[in-house]
């Protein structure tokens, strides 16, 4: 399973990219709105850092506007994946952009039916939002299982990009279900590194080593 980082913040992305754990990145208008500066320049810098697919989202709501914006975003860097919301206009824009050879990520997916329609028009990725489903009392991960099963049976090449990830359990379940990609905020990636037994185990190793060195000197 590929790991993408879900942020528009270069300072957060750089150290993760340097570790070699990132396969790509996702942004959305809310994330980009938090960053100062030129959004195109930020997208370009993210592409240079991650050297993998970087989703940049359109803000137009009509198909022609989405197509225009999508072409403009795709021209920033070959790594750019154009992100469109799942609406009828988004589906139409996805069809046109995909036919032109642009990779499209259809976002705001909350049902397997929506994922299926996006796959039919050539989406490279669909982004089901698990955390936001959990927030309303549904089980977001059930949707991932449904889409993975559906795409597997139908033979679609569209990748399931698990989004709105809130914790490491979402990440591991996504991998076990066969999702192709998980996109995580930096805070969740940080949690993936943590285990209290690793910390206490290392502390013990170092303490034992120091004690033995002290004993040799005495
Ligand atoms: C995905 O591409 C979205 O940017 C993101 O995962 C949304 O997550 P949120 O529900 O935490 O805003």
């Amino acid at each position: 399973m590929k790991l993408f980082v879900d942020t528009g913040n270069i300072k957060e992305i750089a150290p993760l990219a340097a570790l070699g754990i990132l396969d790509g990145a996702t942004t959305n208008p809310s994330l980009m709105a938090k960053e100062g500066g030129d959004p195109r320049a930020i997208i370009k810098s993210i592409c240079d850092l991650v050297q993998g697919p970087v989703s940049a989202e359109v803000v137009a709501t009509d198909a022609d506007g989405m197509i225009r914006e999508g072409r403009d975003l795709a021209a920033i860097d070959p790594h750019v994946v154009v992100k469109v919301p799942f609406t009828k206009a988004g589906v139409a824009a996805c069809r046109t952009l995909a036919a032109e050879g642009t990779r499209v990520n259809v976002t705001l997916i909350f049902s397997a039916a929506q994922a299926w329609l996006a796959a039919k028009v050539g989406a490279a990725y669909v982004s089901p939002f698990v955390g936001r489903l959990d927030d309303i009392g549904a089980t977001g991960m059930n949707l991932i299982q449904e889409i993975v099963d559906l795409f597997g049976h139908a033979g679609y090449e569209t990748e399931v990009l698990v989004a709105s990830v809130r914790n490491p359990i979402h990440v591991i379940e996504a991998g076990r279900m066969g999702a192709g990609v998980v996109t995580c905020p930096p805070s969740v990636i940080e949690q993936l590194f943590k285990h209290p037994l690793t910390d206490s185990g290392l502390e013990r190793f170092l303490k034992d080593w120091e004690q033995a060195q002290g004993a040799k000197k005495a």
Side-chain angles (χ1 to χ4, degrees):
M1 182 170 64
K2 290 174 210 135
L3 173 62
F4 289 3
V5 63
D6 193 30
T7 180
N9 189 293
I10 304 288
K11 284 189 187 150
E12 290 179 327
I13 297 172
L16 297 170
L19 281 176
I21 58 172
L22 292 184
D23 300 294
T26 51
T27 64
N28 64 40
S30 304
L31 293 171
M32 293 305 288
K34 286 191 208 160
E35 307 302 320
D38 172 15
R40 291 178 64 89
I42 294 173
I43 294 294
K44 176 65 182 156
S45 302
I46 298 174
C47 290
D48 291 345
L49 275 172
V50 304
Q51 292 294 310
V54 175
S55 288
E57 189 162 343
V58 301
V59 289
T61 54
D62 63 299
D64 287 346
M66 287 183 191
I67 292 164
R68 261 196 312 276
E69 251 187 82
R71 287 175 182 151
D72 193 47
L73 289 167
I76 296 174
D77 189 279
H79 291 301
V80 168
V81 172
V82 174
K83 205 173 178 188
V84 302
F86 183 87
T87 57
K88 283 183 184 164
V91 167
C94 176
R95 181 167 181 251
T96 300
L97 291 166
E100 292 173 358
T102 297
R103 287 174 298 169
V104 180
N105 174 0
V106 180
T107 190
L108 291 168
I109 295 286
F110 290 96
S111 77
Q114 293 176 329
W116 173 56
L117 294 173
K120 280 175 72 67
V121 292
Y125 302 95
V126 287
S127 292
F129 279 33
V130 294
R132 292 194 196 183
L133 281 169
D134 290 355
D135 290 346
I136 60 158
T139 303
M141 293 311 297
N142 288 350
L143 174 59
I144 303 307
Q145 190 66 73
E146 283 180 23
I147 300 173
V148 167
D149 289 348
L150 184 73
F151 285 6
H153 291 308
Y156 290 122
E157 285 178 15
T158 306
E159 289 201 72
V160 181
L161 193 167
V162 180
S164 187
V165 165
R166 300 278 158 79
N167 55 57
I169 297 169
H170 281 154
V171 178
I172 300 309
E173 282 190 5
R176 294 184 71 183
M177 288 175 178
V181 190
V182 66
T183 189
C184 299
S187 57
V188 172
I189 296 180
E190 194 59 37
Q191 287 178 54
L192 296 173
F193 279 91
K194 299 281 182 201
H195 197 289
L197 290 179
T198 304
D199 296 341
S200 61
L202 179 60
E203 199 181 314
R204 179 68 182 270
F205 284 157
L206 296 178
K207 209 164 145 192
D208 289 347
W209 178 255
E210 271 172 33
Q211 270 174 2
Q213 299 303 105
K216 271 187 205 165
K217 280 184 199 153

